[in-house]
Amino acid sequence: MTAATGYLAAETALETTVRMTNRLILDTDGGVDDAQALMMLVAGGRAPDVITTTFGNVGVEQATRNILDTLRVLGRDIPVHQGARDPLVQPIIDAAAIHGADGLGGVARPTGSAPPAGHDAAGKLRSLLREAMATSERIDILAIGPLTNIALVLRSEPTCAAGIGRLTIMGGTVNGRGNVTPAAEFNIYADPEAAAVVFSAGLEIMLVPWETCATHYIDGASLDKVFVGHDATPSARFARALLDHARRVTMSFGHGDIFRFVDPLAAAAVLDPAVVTDSLQAAVSVALAPGLTRGMTVVDPSGRLGGKTVSIVTKANLARVTELFRRSLVPA
Ligand SMILES: [Ca+2]
């Protein structure tokens, strides 16, 4: 049999791509970099099939509104299911100092956004994962907020773990240097008990930790060039406003005019796993005791902790990540 050529070859290649890529759920807390990550997934050709929201950067209603407004800007209709309002055990914290009171840095918003498709994210996740198990078509998840929704599912129905393909998480630390406390990163610190449930479930996890995000950045001036001649569309204006907010916050912390890839780095790893150029295989456990280390991810490459190891991203191809991000700013 000869190889298909022309149109047929393209069609066959597309079918292969579709078969090889699992469906995707985005679980998000609706902050500035969450909106940017969503824009990257859409621009990169792997829009989530379903989006679930959680408290985190802001309260869950605001997080849901932020995601729905971002979808409105993008002209995309993706079902958004509102989720966890509170952590499993501890009181709620938020990150308004970083993401602004509205979670999107006060950027101008569109009108006429859709309402949420539902208000039971854990229930939706559960039914999707049951369906995935029944059809043997696993679903990938990108989690870029506190892990409460996923923990609620795994705690109530542990067998749902079998429906998850790869779970990519932005969160935690690899060297114990946090961004909320000296030891803990925000997404884990916001609900350590939930993170503990997720990391002990035996899942295939790719972890994008805080230190890797902090060391993968691009200077602001080179991003300004991207917009030259391209900032007339509503989506480019929205993208630019988010980016400018993130740059202002980073500058206010004394780090200069740079844009750090945080949730967008995790989105890049989902879009193109080859952006990951170095990673550490290690068991990860979450410190739950009150005090200095609460919410810290304890990383053990030695195997003494036991359990399934996760893949912790330590280096990424910055040029490739930047290109995936650039496409979301000014789509062709
Ligand atoms: Ca986030």
PDB file of all heavy atoms in Angstrom, residues 176-197:
ATOM      1  N   GLY A 176      11.949  23.828  47.689  1.00  0.00           N
ATOM      2  CA  GLY A 176      11.448  24.319  48.964  1.00  0.00           C
ATOM      3  C   GLY A 176      11.410  25.826  49.103  1.00  0.00           C
ATOM      4  O   GLY A 176      11.366  26.342  50.216  1.00  0.00           O
ATOM      5  N   ARG A 177      11.439  26.561  47.974  1.00  0.00           N
ATOM      6  CA  ARG A 177      11.386  28.023  48.049  1.00  0.00           C
ATOM      7  C   ARG A 177      10.046  28.517  47.519  1.00  0.00           C
ATOM      8  O   ARG A 177       9.806  28.534  46.315  1.00  0.00           O
ATOM      9  CB  ARG A 177      12.541  28.629  47.251  1.00  0.00           C
ATOM     10  CG  ARG A 177      13.884  28.185  47.813  1.00  0.00           C
ATOM     11  CD  ARG A 177      15.019  29.054  47.348  1.00  0.00           C
ATOM     12  NE  ARG A 177      16.254  28.632  47.997  1.00  0.00           N
ATOM     13  CZ  ARG A 177      17.155  27.822  47.437  1.00  0.00           C
ATOM     14  NH1 ARG A 177      16.963  27.382  46.223  1.00  0.00           N
ATOM     15  NH2 ARG A 177      18.232  27.461  48.081  1.00  0.00           N
ATOM     16  N   GLY A 178       9.176  28.906  48.431  1.00  0.00           N
ATOM     17  CA  GLY A 178       7.802  29.238  48.072  1.00  0.00           C
ATOM     18  C   GLY A 178       7.605  30.689  47.683  1.00  0.00           C
ATOM     19  O   GLY A 178       8.529  31.494  47.726  1.00  0.00           O
ATOM     20  N   ASN A 179       6.367  31.012  47.303  1.00  0.00           N
ATOM     21  CA  ASN A 179       6.036  32.396  46.966  1.00  0.00           C
ATOM     22  C   ASN A 179       4.992  33.006  47.910  1.00  0.00           C
ATOM     23  O   ASN A 179       4.757  34.206  47.870  1.00  0.00           O
ATOM     24  CB  ASN A 179       5.585  32.526  45.500  1.00  0.00           C
ATOM     25  CG  ASN A 179       4.370  31.669  45.184  1.00  0.00           C
ATOM     26  OD1 ASN A 179       3.829  30.986  46.049  1.00  0.00           O
ATOM     27  ND2 ASN A 179       3.937  31.708  43.939  1.00  0.00           N
ATOM     28  N   VAL A 180       4.362  32.180  48.757  1.00  0.00           N
ATOM     29  CA  VAL A 180       3.436  32.723  49.753  1.00  0.00           C
ATOM     30  C   VAL A 180       4.127  32.764  51.106  1.00  0.00           C
ATOM     31  O   VAL A 180       4.131  33.778  51.788  1.00  0.00           O
ATOM     32  CB  VAL A 180       2.165  31.850  49.887  1.00  0.00           C
ATOM     33  CG1 VAL A 180       1.191  32.491  50.870  1.00  0.00           C
ATOM     34  CG2 VAL A 180       1.506  31.660  48.548  1.00  0.00           C
ATOM     35  N   THR A 181       4.705  31.647  51.483  1.00  0.00           N
ATOM     36  CA  THR A 181       5.567  31.585  52.667  1.00  0.00           C
ATOM     37  C   THR A 181       6.950  31.185  52.138  1.00  0.00           C
ATOM     38  O   THR A 181       7.080  30.803  50.974  1.00  0.00           O
ATOM     39  CB  THR A 181       5.073  30.525  53.670  1.00  0.00           C
ATOM     40  OG1 THR A 181       5.367  29.223  53.142  1.00  0.00           O
ATOM     41  CG2 THR A 181       3.573  30.658  53.935  1.00  0.00           C
ATOM     42  N   PRO A 182       7.968  31.280  52.989  1.00  0.00           N
ATOM     43  CA  PRO A 182       9.302  30.869  52.507  1.00  0.00           C
ATOM     44  C   PRO A 182       9.308  29.439  51.959  1.00  0.00           C
ATOM     45  O   PRO A 182      10.115  29.105  51.086  1.00  0.00           O
ATOM     46  CB  PRO A 182      10.176  30.990  53.765  1.00  0.00           C
ATOM     47  CG  PRO A 182       9.499  32.045  54.579  1.00  0.00           C
ATOM     48  CD  PRO A 182       8.013  31.852  54.337  1.00  0.00           C
ATOM     49  N   ALA A 183       8.387  28.598  52.432  1.00  0.00           N
ATOM     50  CA  ALA A 183       8.416  27.185  52.049  1.00  0.00           C
ATOM     51  C   ALA A 183       7.312  26.772  51.088  1.00  0.00           C
ATOM     52  O   ALA A 183       7.416  25.721  50.454  1.00  0.00           O
ATOM     53  CB  ALA A 183       8.338  26.309  53.305  1.00  0.00           C
ATOM     54  N   ALA A 184       6.232  27.559  50.984  1.00  0.00           N
ATOM     55  CA  ALA A 184       5.056  27.059  50.259  1.00  0.00           C
ATOM     56  C   ALA A 184       4.654  27.951  49.082  1.00  0.00           C
ATOM     57  O   ALA A 184       4.733  29.179  49.153  1.00  0.00           O
ATOM     58  CB  ALA A 184       3.869  26.917  51.213  1.00  0.00           C
ATOM     59  N   GLU A 185       4.210  27.282  48.044  1.00  0.00           N
ATOM     60  CA  GLU A 185       3.695  27.960  46.837  1.00  0.00           C
ATOM     61  C   GLU A 185       2.177  28.125  46.984  1.00  0.00           C
ATOM     62  O   GLU A 185       1.514  27.276  47.607  1.00  0.00           O
ATOM     63  CB  GLU A 185       4.064  27.104  45.615  1.00  0.00           C
ATOM     64  CG  GLU A 185       3.569  27.625  44.282  1.00  0.00           C
ATOM     65  CD  GLU A 185       2.116  27.270  44.005  1.00  0.00           C
ATOM     66  OE1 GLU A 185       1.634  26.234  44.555  1.00  0.00           O
ATOM     67  OE2 GLU A 185       1.453  28.010  43.271  1.00  0.00           O
ATOM     68  N   PHE A 186       1.620  29.146  46.348  1.00  0.00           N
ATOM     69  CA  PHE A 186       0.224  29.532  46.569  1.00  0.00           C
ATOM     70  C   PHE A 186      -0.785  28.392  46.339  1.00  0.00           C
ATOM     71  O   PHE A 186      -1.651  28.140  47.186  1.00  0.00           O
ATOM     72  CB  PHE A 186      -0.150  30.731  45.683  1.00  0.00           C
ATOM     73  CG  PHE A 186      -1.592  31.129  45.844  1.00  0.00           C
ATOM     74  CD1 PHE A 186      -1.988  31.952  46.884  1.00  0.00           C
ATOM     75  CD2 PHE A 186      -2.569  30.639  44.983  1.00  0.00           C
ATOM     76  CE1 PHE A 186      -3.317  32.296  47.073  1.00  0.00           C
ATOM     77  CE2 PHE A 186      -3.902  30.969  45.161  1.00  0.00           C
ATOM     78  CZ  PHE A 186      -4.280  31.801  46.203  1.00  0.00           C
ATOM     79  N   ASN A 187      -0.749  27.735  45.180  1.00  0.00           N
ATOM     80  CA  ASN A 187      -1.811  26.761  44.861  1.00  0.00           C
ATOM     81  C   ASN A 187      -1.869  25.606  45.857  1.00  0.00           C
ATOM     82  O   ASN A 187      -2.947  25.068  46.126  1.00  0.00           O
ATOM     83  CB  ASN A 187      -1.623  26.200  43.444  1.00  0.00           C
ATOM     84  CG  ASN A 187      -1.994  27.214  42.380  1.00  0.00           C
ATOM     85  OD1 ASN A 187      -2.667  28.206  42.661  1.00  0.00           O
ATOM     86  ND2 ASN A 187      -1.532  26.989  41.161  1.00  0.00           N
ATOM     87  N   ILE A 188      -0.710  25.226  46.390  1.00  0.00           N
ATOM     88  CA  ILE A 188      -0.683  24.142  47.374  1.00  0.00           C
ATOM     89  C   ILE A 188      -1.051  24.694  48.754  1.00  0.00           C
ATOM     90  O   ILE A 188      -1.841  24.089  49.484  1.00  0.00           O
ATOM     91  CB  ILE A 188       0.709  23.463  47.408  1.00  0.00           C
ATOM     92  CG1 ILE A 188       1.145  23.051  45.989  1.00  0.00           C
ATOM     93  CG2 ILE A 188       0.703  22.269  48.367  1.00  0.00           C
ATOM     94  CD1 ILE A 188       0.264  22.056  45.293  1.00  0.00           C
ATOM     95  N   TYR A 189      -0.507  25.865  49.073  1.00  0.00           N
ATOM     96  CA  TYR A 189      -0.770  26.488  50.385  1.00  0.00           C
ATOM     97  C   TYR A 189      -2.248  26.822  50.548  1.00  0.00           C
ATOM     98  O   TYR A 189      -2.782  26.799  51.657  1.00  0.00           O
ATOM     99  CB  TYR A 189       0.085  27.757  50.487  1.00  0.00           C
ATOM    100  CG  TYR A 189       0.055  28.431  51.831  1.00  0.00           C
ATOM    101  CD1 TYR A 189       0.711  27.857  52.923  1.00  0.00           C
ATOM    102  CD2 TYR A 189      -0.595  29.652  52.009  1.00  0.00           C
ATOM    103  CE1 TYR A 189       0.699  28.485  54.158  1.00  0.00           C
ATOM    104  CE2 TYR A 189      -0.610  30.287  53.244  1.00  0.00           C
ATOM    105  CZ  TYR A 189       0.044  29.698  54.315  1.00  0.00           C
ATOM    106  OH  TYR A 189       0.033  30.320  55.538  1.00  0.00           O
ATOM    107  N   ALA A 190      -2.919  27.124  49.442  1.00  0.00           N
ATOM    108  CA  ALA A 190      -4.339  27.503  49.505  1.00  0.00           C
ATOM    109  C   ALA A 190      -5.225  26.334  49.924  1.00  0.00           C
ATOM    110  O   ALA A 190      -6.319  26.542  50.442  1.00  0.00           O
ATOM    111  CB  ALA A 190      -4.803  28.052  48.149  1.00  0.00           C
ATOM    112  N   ASP A 191      -4.771  25.094  49.696  1.00  0.00           N
ATOM    113  CA  ASP A 191      -5.507  23.917  50.168  1.00  0.00           C
ATOM    114  C   ASP A 191      -4.567  22.709  50.240  1.00  0.00           C
ATOM    115  O   ASP A 191      -4.605  21.813  49.387  1.00  0.00           O
ATOM    116  CB  ASP A 191      -6.701  23.601  49.260  1.00  0.00           C
ATOM    117  CG  ASP A 191      -7.647  22.596  49.934  1.00  0.00           C
ATOM    118  OD1 ASP A 191      -7.251  21.994  50.964  1.00  0.00           O
ATOM    119  OD2 ASP A 191      -8.778  22.419  49.436  1.00  0.00           O
ATOM    120  N   PRO A 192      -3.723  22.684  51.288  1.00  0.00           N
ATOM    121  CA  PRO A 192      -2.735  21.596  51.387  1.00  0.00           C
ATOM    122  C   PRO A 192      -3.369  20.216  51.475  1.00  0.00           C
ATOM    123  O   PRO A 192      -2.835  19.250  50.905  1.00  0.00           O
ATOM    124  CB  PRO A 192      -1.973  21.923  52.679  1.00  0.00           C
ATOM    125  CG  PRO A 192      -2.218  23.383  52.918  1.00  0.00           C
ATOM    126  CD  PRO A 192      -3.592  23.664  52.380  1.00  0.00           C
ATOM    127  N   GLU A 193      -4.504  20.105  52.183  1.00  0.00           N
ATOM    128  CA  GLU A 193      -5.136  18.781  52.317  1.00  0.00           C
ATOM    129  C   GLU A 193      -5.581  18.260  50.946  1.00  0.00           C
ATOM    130  O   GLU A 193      -5.478  17.065  50.659  1.00  0.00           O
ATOM    131  CB  GLU A 193      -6.329  18.837  53.282  1.00  0.00           C
ATOM    132  CG  GLU A 193      -5.938  18.783  54.754  1.00  0.00           C
ATOM    133  CD  GLU A 193      -5.363  20.090  55.304  1.00  0.00           C
ATOM    134  OE1 GLU A 193      -5.524  21.136  54.634  1.00  0.00           O
ATOM    135  OE2 GLU A 193      -4.757  20.063  56.388  1.00  0.00           O
ATOM    136  N   ALA A 194      -6.075  19.151  50.096  1.00  0.00           N
ATOM    137  CA  ALA A 194      -6.480  18.738  48.746  1.00  0.00           C
ATOM    138  C   ALA A 194      -5.264  18.269  47.949  1.00  0.00           C
ATOM    139  O   ALA A 194      -5.311  17.231  47.273  1.00  0.00           O
ATOM    140  CB  ALA A 194      -7.170  19.903  48.028  1.00  0.00           C
ATOM    141  N   ALA A 195      -4.178  19.017  48.043  1.00  0.00           N
ATOM    142  CA  ALA A 195      -2.961  18.621  47.316  1.00  0.00           C
ATOM    143  C   ALA A 195      -2.474  17.260  47.796  1.00  0.00           C
ATOM    144  O   ALA A 195      -2.033  16.428  46.992  1.00  0.00           O
ATOM    145  CB  ALA A 195      -1.881  19.683  47.499  1.00  0.00           C
ATOM    146  N   ALA A 196      -2.577  17.017  49.116  1.00  0.00           N
ATOM    147  CA  ALA A 196      -2.129  15.729  49.661  1.00  0.00           C
ATOM    148  C   ALA A 196      -2.944  14.576  49.079  1.00  0.00           C
ATOM    149  O   ALA A 196      -2.394  13.512  48.753  1.00  0.00           O
ATOM    150  CB  ALA A 196      -2.230  15.743  51.187  1.00  0.00           C
ATOM    151  N   VAL A 197      -4.244  14.782  48.922  1.00  0.00           N
ATOM    152  CA  VAL A 197      -5.099  13.751  48.318  1.00  0.00           C
ATOM    153  C   VAL A 197      -4.641  13.473  46.884  1.00  0.00           C
ATOM    154  O   VAL A 197      -4.480  12.320  46.459  1.00  0.00           O
ATOM    155  CB  VAL A 197      -6.583  14.195  48.311  1.00  0.00           C
ATOM    156  CG1 VAL A 197      -7.433  13.261  47.442  1.00  0.00           C
ATOM    157  CG2 VAL A 197      -7.133  14.255  49.732  1.00  0.00           C
TER     158      VAL A 197
END
